Amino acid sequence: MPIETVPYVVLERCDRTRNMARYYVLSLEPSLFGDTALVRQWGRLGQPGRQRIDLFRQRAHAVETLESWFARKKRRGYVAR
């Protein structure tokens, strides 16, 4: 399924030996002004995390950036949930 059709992607990375339990959520959402927002949320599982919103005038550029973040997190050991 292409990433463009997925409303959001949830990634997790757990390593009990390092006491690591993290999540990372990527989503594309429309903004109030007609732009596309790439929303990234991350933190420790079970805890409130952080959030960052990046605005893009063109949806294609937002999708490209989402795919870049997705690939980066997969390389670091995150798996899709």
Side-chain angles (χ1 to χ4, degrees), residues 28-39 53-57:
L28 292 176
E29 301 175 12
S31 74
L32 292 174
F33 304 107
D35 297 334
T36 300
L38 171 60
V39 180
I53 300 172
D54 298 314
L55 296 175
F56 298 92
R57 292 210 182 274

Side-chain angles (χ1 to χ4, degrees), residues 7 11 22 25 45 47 80:
L11 303 165
R22 298 180 182 164
V25 180
L45 286 172
Q47 300 293 320

Side-chain angles (χ1 to χ4, degrees), residues 53-79:
I53 300 172
D54 298 314
L55 296 175
F56 298 92
R57 292 210 182 274
Q58 299 171 346
R59 182 170 173 84
H61 192 261
V63 169
E64 181 181 307
T65 305
L66 184 144
E67 289 173 345
S68 172
W69 275 105
F70 182 74
R72 183 178 302 159
K73 293 302 171 184
K74 293 286 280 185
R75 282 193 305 268
R76 296 194 108 209
Y78 283 82
V79 293

